[in-house]
Amino acid sequence: MKNKIPNPIKILAVLLVLGMQHAYAQLEKIIVETYYVSDTNDAGDTLGGGIAAGTKTYRIYADMKPGSKLKKIFGNAQHNIKITSTAPFFNNASYGKTFGYENTSSRLRKNTTALDTYITLGKACQYGSQTLHGIPKSADTDGSIIGGINNDGGSENVSSGLLINQAAEAGRPLTSADGLMPGAVTGSYSHVGIIDLIGQNDSSIFGSLIPANIFESNDMLLQNSSGIEGAIADSNQVLLLQLTTSGEISFKLNLEIEYLFNNSMTTFSYVSDSVVSANAGFEKFSPFLSYPFVCGCLNKDYLEYSDRYACNFEDSCKTKIVLGCTDKNACNYDANANFNVASLCCYPGNCNDRPIETVCPQYNPLDEFFLFPNPCQDILNISYASQKVPQLTFSINDFTGNSIKTIQAAVLPGKVNSLVWDIKEIKPGFYFFSTEINNITYRKPFIKIDP
């Protein structure tokens, strides 16, 4: 029996699923938060090395599906890492740390140390026996241990403390929400290619030795042996970077994330550029790993859609997808289609197991083809008409395809022809009545019953 013509909507769904095989999966997005904007009080401090008023502190988080664990930030020969600003990054000269997980609450309360530029995996501070993770301030529910009365006032001993600015673009002030909440860290941290391991001197953008505005590497990693989950399990947002600068930031990051896949914990790399074919099974591209985010059309119903976009751009979706066969050699060429579906194209003798007379009526050699009565007993009546063939060979086949009986019939053009076939000798059962024209079989099912 011929298959039905595929539903175009189903075809589009399949195409889109296939096209999204390498999409975001466990990494849902990257969050870039404006954490703080420095004011004149902060700028007056000299202990931290000086920070200009208006300097912004950004935090970058990996937003993952619940249950996922962030294992590593990396740059390698296939996927480099790059973090830049149009102005040097600020690093606190007295108490700053290259790695956020080395911070303590006593350090963060001193002058402008809480604005230090650093890299980390989740952990941003040790507070007594508590491990504090960096989380977006909007999700912070336990107040603040830095800023205002918690701050030592810096070199000028400002009585109200530093870090009290309430710039609207930074959201909640640091005096009421510090973006620090308790969370677990069970594994150990290790790193390669970030600082000078011989002298332990950090001359990168994360250290205060030499002012810098770019960190780029194809041989670095920061990892945690057990992997890090967010302090709030449902949102599972893990802090990656804190960057403070008066310039405009940009970055390309690559992450390794572990999660349950095919009933086992498996590690996948999420990269900011094209997936390397040799690693395609365990690499996924994410548009969120490059910043500023590239925006475009995110509506899958339009030709302009791409999974390379991280955000939707107004009016970028212009051309509605029209599925169809755009091969002009096909009998069902569709001039209105703009998205070719090759499996829809039909040609004489090749119509993907679909009845070509339905798909392309102009190729239908039979103008009429009916059986009656159905079910039948001893006599089967056939009505047929054709303008294109002078003779037809009709056959009766059982459900396995075996031919039971064959007869040839003339075709009078321009007329409805009739044929009466005696089928007394055929056993009751289910059969097909068929004829073949140009290697295409046209069939009708019928049932023979007892008289």
Side-chain angles (χ1 to χ4, degrees):
M1 183 175 291
K2 300 293 184 183
N3 296 328
K4 293 182 179 180
I5 300 174
N7 185 326
I9 296 177
K10 291 182 179 179
I11 292 174
L12 178 59
V14 171
L15 290 171
L16 293 174
V17 168
L18 292 175
M20 292 295 287
Q21 291 285 332
H22 61 292
Y24 323 142
Q26 301 305 110
L27 177 63
E28 296 188 316
K29 61 180 179 289
I30 293 291
I31 298 170
V32 178
E33 173 194 42
T34 301
Y35 181 67
Y36 185 72
V37 180
S38 300
D39 63 12
T40 54
N41 281 333
D42 305 317
D45 174 66
T46 59
L47 293 176
I51 184 170
T55 298
K56 296 178 182 180
T57 300
Y58 303 93
R59 279 184 166 188
I60 291 85
Y61 305 85
D63 189 339
M64 305 180 297
K65 288 186 177 179
S68 303
K69 294 183 177 182
L70 181 61
K71 298 280 287 187
K72 183 188 299 184
I73 304 175
F74 70 93
N76 59 27
Q78 297 170 330
H79 307 288
N80 73 320
I81 183 173
K82 187 175 183 179
I83 305 166
T84 68
S85 172
T86 55
F89 289 99
F90 167 76
N91 288 274
N92 187 276
S94 299
Y95 298 101
K97 287 288 187 179
T98 295
F99 304 102
Y101 55 81
E102 294 180 338
N103 280 323
T104 62
S105 58
S106 60
R107 283 177 172 271
L108 296 186
R109 288 166 167 168
K110 296 182 181 296
N111 54 76
T112 56
T113 307
L115 307 180
D116 188 52
T117 292
Y118 60 74
I119 185 171
T120 192
L121 293 179
K123 183 179 178 181
C125 172
Q126 189 66 33
Y127 180 50
S129 61
Q130 285 188 321
T131 296
L132 300 184
H133 284 233
I135 66 166
K137 288 187 298 176
S138 59
D140 189 344
T141 59
D142 63 357
S144 176
I145 61 171
I146 62 175
I149 60 173
N150 295 306
N151 185 271
D152 67 3
S155 62
E156 304 305 305
N157 295 310
V158 178
S159 59
S160 59
L162 303 181
L163 313 184
I164 63 172
N165 193 16
Q166 298 188 27
E169 62 184 302
R172 299 170 68 186
L174 292 184
T175 51
S176 62
D178 54 15
L180 299 172
M181 283 190 69
V185 173
T186 57
S188 59
Y189 290 93
S190 61
H191 56 85
V192 172
I194 300 175
I195 65 174
D196 177 0
L197 293 180
I198 297 177
Q200 295 293 307
N201 296 320
D202 184 5
S203 59
S204 76
I205 64 169
F206 307 111
S208 60
L209 295 179
I210 303 173
N213 69 334
I214 181 170
F215 176 81
E216 186 172 15
S217 177
N218 58 8
D219 186 20
M220 68 76 64
L221 63 85
L222 171 62
Q223 63 185 356
N224 181 276
S225 58
S226 297
I228 301 295
E229 293 184 76
I232 303 175
D234 290 344
S235 54
N236 201 13
Q237 296 163 345
V238 175
L239 180 63
L240 306 174
L241 299 165
Q242 180 168 293
L243 305 174
T244 298
T245 178
S246 60
E248 300 295 324
I249 64 169
S250 64
F251 57 73
K252 284 179 55 185
L253 305 176
N254 308 293
L255 308 176
E256 280 191 2
I257 297 176
E258 181 182 66
Y259 55 92
L260 190 65
F261 181 74
N262 289 340
N263 297 318
S264 64
M265 294 302 290
T266 306
T267 299
F268 286 82
S269 294
Y270 290 80
V271 298
S272 59
D273 46 25
S274 297
V275 171
V276 177
S277 59
N279 305 328
F282 293 92
E283 280 189 354
K284 298 177 185 291
F285 164 78
S286 172
F288 295 105
L289 290 171
S290 294
Y291 183 85
F293 299 135
V294 178
C295 299
C297 177
L298 289 180
N299 189 329
K300 301 181 183 72
D301 294 332
Y302 288 80
L303 284 178
E304 291 82 10
Y305 165 81
S306 173
D307 66 356
R308 311 295 290 189
Y309 298 132
C311 45
N312 196 65
F313 187 75
E314 188 177 1
D315 297 329
S316 61
C317 300
K318 299 180 181 300
T319 311
K320 191 87 169 181
I321 289 176
V322 180
L323 297 176
C325 175
T326 61
D327 183 356
K328 292 184 178 180
N329 293 318
C331 64
N332 61 330
Y333 164 71
D334 185 353
N336 295 318
N338 57 25
F339 192 100
N340 186 53
V341 181
S343 60
L344 286 180
C345 295
C346 280
Y347 313 86
N350 179 15
C351 197
N352 293 306
D353 294 325
R354 289 170 290 150
I356 194 170
E357 70 274 12
T358 301
V359 180
C360 303
Q362 69 272 30
Y363 279 83
N364 186 3
L366 287 175
D367 302 317
E368 182 174 310
F369 184 30
F370 297 108
L371 301 180
F372 60 93
N374 191 5
C376 60
Q377 295 181 347
D378 296 333
I379 300 297
L380 184 64
N381 296 283
I382 304 98
S383 175
Y384 59 96
S386 176
Q387 297 284 348
K388 300 174 182 177
V389 292
Q391 183 173 283
L392 292 172
T393 299
F394 293 110
S395 63
I396 294 176
N397 301 79
D398 62 21
F399 70 95
T400 65
N402 294 323
S403 178
I404 304 298
K405 198 169 184 179
T406 301
I407 191 173
Q408 290 187 339
V411 180
L412 297 176
K415 295 184 178 181
V416 176
N417 299 264
S418 298
L419 177 66
V420 178
W421 205 342
D422 187 338
I423 56 171
K424 291 187 182 69
E425 71 277 17
I426 296 178
K427 296 179 180 179
F430 182 83
Y431 296 91
F432 287 103
F433 187 87
S434 63
T435 184
E436 185 175 291
I437 306 172
N438 297 328
N439 296 319
I440 299 175
T441 299
Y442 303 85
R443 63 179 62 176
K444 301 283 186 180
F446 73 94
I447 298 173
K448 167 71 184 296
I449 58 177
D450 287 324

